Structure formats: C-alpha cells, structure tokens
Amino acid sequence: MKRTYEKELVAALSAGLAIIVLAWTGAQAFASNWIDSLGVLSVWFYGPISAAAWGLLSAISYVLIVRAQRHNPALCPEHEEATRELRRKTCELRKVPQCIEFVDQLERDKLGALMGGFAITIATWLALLSFAPHDWLDGIVSTSPWLYSLASMVVWWGSAELMYWGFRHSRHQASSIPDAH
C-alpha cells in the first residue's frame, strides 16, 4: 500500500508558516520604522497578504521537499513504508499494535488537533486585534512580547488538547476499535 504525501504537505505548510511568522517578527524587530511607515491598516489587509505569501512559500517548500526525496531515496515515502514494514516484522509480537488503523487514526488525530489548535490561536488573535478598542491596542505596545508568546502557546496547547480529546471521543463512539488509553 502506497502512502500519500500527507507528511510532506504538513511539513511544507509548517515551513511556510514559520517563514511568515519569522518575517513579521523580524520586520517588527529590525524594521519597525518601515512597519510604522505603512500606517495603521486593518488586519483584514495584512491577513490576506500573509495568507497568500504563506501559500506561495508552502508550495515552494513542498516542491523542495519532494525534489529532495527524488535525490535521496531514503527520504522517499515508499522507502519509509518499506522500513516501517521491516521494523514491524522484526519487532516482538507483544509490541506490535493489534490494529494498524488505530495507530494511523491516533497520528491523524494528533496532527489534526495541533493544526486545529493553531488555527484557533490565530483566529483568536485576529478577532482580538480586529475588534478591540484602539485604547486597548495602544496598551499592547507597552507589554512585553514574551507575554503574548506565552499566552499564544498556552492557548495553542489548550485548544489542541481539547480538539484531540474531541477527536478521540467522537472516534471512540463511532468505532468498534478499542481505545488504548
């Protein structure tokens, strides 16, 4: 059975997002005068531009990842699948999961929860920054960015945990596969 390129897609999306976040962080840290010269534009202006750049950078990342796989067979999904099958055959029977689909579901649920938690975090920030009063936004500038980073990580972690619990709970109710937890 051939594996789809889900891992490559997620890696490319993550790389594109990391580049965008680093670019905005770097621009604010090292070119704040340039950011200020842009004026106070709505998040609805910066959002689509950032999303388009994220899409473009993710597409470029995906092409580079797939291209690297062609040059190095060890990175190829088929090699990974063959290695996984070989490990499964040499592993002690008690360590082999009873149902491979269950392990795949767990991986998909974890990945979906992480991506969903991140989406909730970004949507929360967009909503706060779009609809907050201007006085409140002026107060943000005097607060340490580390506080916002910590708050973002807590929101991301919490929402990812809730989403993972929801995925597992709904899947457990709809499936005949026993839950390992």
Side-chain angles (χ1 to χ4, degrees):
M1 176 173 111
K2 297 223 178 202
R3 179 180 72 76
T4 60
Y5 285 86
E6 290 174 355
K7 290 181 180 179
E8 290 78 4
L9 289 172
V10 170
L13 286 170
S14 299
L17 181 62
I19 292 168
I20 293 299
V21 169
L22 288 173
W24 276 113
T25 304
Q28 185 61 41
F30 300 110
S32 59
N33 292 335
W34 176 72
I35 296 287
D36 292 340
S37 72
L38 294 175
V40 181
L41 297 175
S42 171
V43 173
W44 300 111
F45 175 74
Y46 295 119
I49 291 172
S50 296
W54 179 19
L56 177 66
L57 290 168
S58 296
I60 292 168
S61 298
Y62 181 77
V63 168
L64 291 174
I65 289 169
V66 171
R67 188 175 181 199
Q69 287 177 340
R70 287 189 197 130
H71 294 299
N72 186 352
L75 298 174
C76 186
E78 289 79 16
H79 180 268
E80 182 184 343
E81 188 70 28
T83 305
R84 182 185 301 160
E85 289 297 324
L86 183 62
R87 268 189 266 133
R88 195 177 294 143
K89 289 177 184 175
T90 60
C91 194
E92 294 178 32
L93 187 58
R94 63 182 170 81
K95 292 183 180 178
V96 176
Q98 292 178 353
C99 186
I100 299 304
E101 292 88 24
F102 178 70
V103 174
D104 290 341
Q105 287 175 356
L106 284 175
E107 287 180 9
R108 282 193 300 270
D109 289 344
K110 287 177 185 176
L111 182 60
L114 281 174
M115 296 305 283
F118 184 76
I120 289 170
T121 304
I122 296 302
T124 301
W125 276 115
L126 281 175
L128 281 172
L129 295 174
S130 297
F131 301 114
H134 288 290
D135 296 340
W136 186 76
L137 294 175
D138 291 337
I140 286 179
V141 177
S142 63
T143 307
S144 171
W146 293 108
L147 182 64
Y148 299 120
S149 298
L150 181 62
S152 297
M153 287 185 266
V154 168
V155 170
W156 187 3
W157 172 79
S159 56
E161 285 294 320
L162 286 173
M163 292 192 76
Y164 181 72
W165 178 83
F167 290 156
R168 296 306 311 146
H169 183 70
S170 65
R171 189 176 308 279
H172 181 65
Q173 288 181 344
S175 175
S176 62
I177 298 173
D179 196 0
H181 297 285

